[in-house]
Amino acid sequence: MGTSWWLWALVAVCTGDQFRDEAERIMRGTPVIDGHNDLPWRLLTMFNNQLQSERANLTSLANTHTNIPKLRAGFVGGQFWSAYTPCDTQNKDAVKRTLEQIDVIQRMCQMYPETFVCVTNSAGIRQAFREGRVASLVGVEGGHSIDSSLGVLRTLHRLGMRYLTLTHSCNTPWADNWLVDTGEDKAESQGLSRFGESVVKEMNRLGVIIDLAHVSVATMKAALRLSTAPVIFSHSSAYSLCQHRRNVPDDVLRLVNQTGSLVMVNFYNDYVSCRQEATLSQVADHLDHIKKVAGAGAVGFGGDFDGVSRLPVGLEDVSKYPDLVAELLRRRWTEAEVRGALANNLLRVFEAVEQVSDHTQSPEEEPIPADQLQASCRTMYGYSEAPSLHRQPGALLASLTTVLLGLGLL
């Protein structure tokens, strides 16, 4: 009996090694593109963005989920780095803070050119794969970063932004966030306002990927129906497995399938198990569920490393991706399905976004109505004289009264 137990244990170990070896073989040809990593935010909070500090050296950086050796061990070949600024910067210095975080990402590429290469298109990602470098892209996390300005949106695109998360955990004046679905925030746009629709259309025109992580269900559905290109959830999981409002419900997953969109699964314990503890196997459960409901082409990885405080056992940092891939292989995912989740699904979405973009088309121009902006920390140049802008009801009534008085009708 003891010998039999020993033989089965040996078989299990050998089988585990087989799946891990197979994972590494696949990832050498198709490294992972992760949808969301908050290392730039950690560089701000730990070093005030002073990358030349000895302690900020990314080859030996400690107390983070991410550094260069861990990225190499995890076969990370593409990364959307988060240019994140918190909600308390809204209507204050959000644009400045966002620019500083984009600068950090670009300086990472400049300081470590043997590891990182900043790219802005799908072809750049494929080239980085061939060179063995990490394709580094800018994802701006939160619509408050554009300060309700189409001009700022276009400028961030010119600076390299290739996805914009429509909200963070706060409403913008034009889109509702996930806390609306918990009752903690009040719905203000019922998904997307008229200006929010203009933001989505302009992102399509520019070739900026629409990211629906953090938004309300109404915003998810409105964007999925309006966008002419596929969208992503850069770091969200499946609501059916963990009833957290940051996750994606099944009816939305079916829209994801219909639109060729993508859900990049978040590893944060609270979104994986709805508890403080979680496991790698539970993350694989989310990947399985999304594959079942939305299709194998709708699955990706969006670990949220360095943006969360709790991670599953077995996925403690970015070096652990091969173990997750080995688990998918153990669950009989095909090699094509695994390569899709690693990179090919994101590349397909990105290429579709690029095909939809049309820089010869006239840009969206109409500003957000002045009465939808908080004016305490802003000037209002342009609003008083510009033609055909939405005016506040009181101003319209005063203007109408003046006209009627002039005509002797009052």
Side-chain angles (χ1 to χ4, degrees), residues 94-168:
V95 175
K96 167 186 173 288
R97 290 287 188 177
T98 303
L99 292 174
E100 289 173 344
Q101 294 312 103
I102 292 174
D103 172 68
V104 166
I105 296 166
Q106 293 172 342
R107 284 192 286 134
M108 285 168 54
C109 293
Q110 292 166 358
M111 289 186 67
Y112 303 93
E114 70 290 344
T115 300
F116 304 117
V117 54
C118 282
V119 304
T120 57
N121 53 40
S122 57
I125 297 176
R126 294 183 187 279
Q127 180 62 32
F129 282 6
R130 289 190 289 270
E131 295 172 354
R133 295 194 284 175
V134 180
S136 297
L137 301 101
V138 175
V140 172
E141 187 182 15
H144 59 285
S145 284
I146 69 168
D147 198 25
S148 299
S149 167
L150 295 167
V152 172
L153 173 67
R154 286 187 284 269
T155 300
L156 293 181
H157 169 261
R158 293 188 192 101
L159 293 175
M161 175 185 70
R162 286 303 178 268
Y163 79 58
L164 173 67
T165 316
L166 296 189
T167 72
H168 195 254

Side-chain angles (χ1 to χ4, degrees), residues 16-17 19-24 27 73-75 267 279-281 283-284 287 301 312-331 342:
D17 288 345
F19 289 123
R20 172 64 190 230
D21 291 345
E22 183 70 359
E24 292 192 10
M27 297 178 81
F75 293 89
F267 299 170
T279 65
L280 179 151
S281 180
V283 173
L287 293 160
F301 301 131
V313 174
L315 285 171
E316 293 84 0
D317 59 53
V318 298
S319 72
K320 303 298 185 178
Y321 279 110
D323 294 323
L324 180 56
V325 172
E327 176 64 18
L328 298 182
L329 292 169
R330 189 174 293 109
R331 295 178 181 215
L342 284 168

Side-chain angles (χ1 to χ4, degrees), residues 43-44 47-54 56 104 107 111:
L43 294 173
L44 170 65
F47 309 113
N48 203 12
N49 288 342
Q50 297 175 85
L51 301 190
Q52 297 178 52
S53 165
E54 184 177 347
V104 166
R107 284 192 286 134
M111 289 186 67

Side-chain angles (χ1 to χ4, degrees), residues 297-315:
V299 185
F301 301 131
D304 210 358
F305 286 112
D306 283 307
V308 297
S309 55
R310 294 182 288 275
L311 286 163
V313 174
L315 285 171

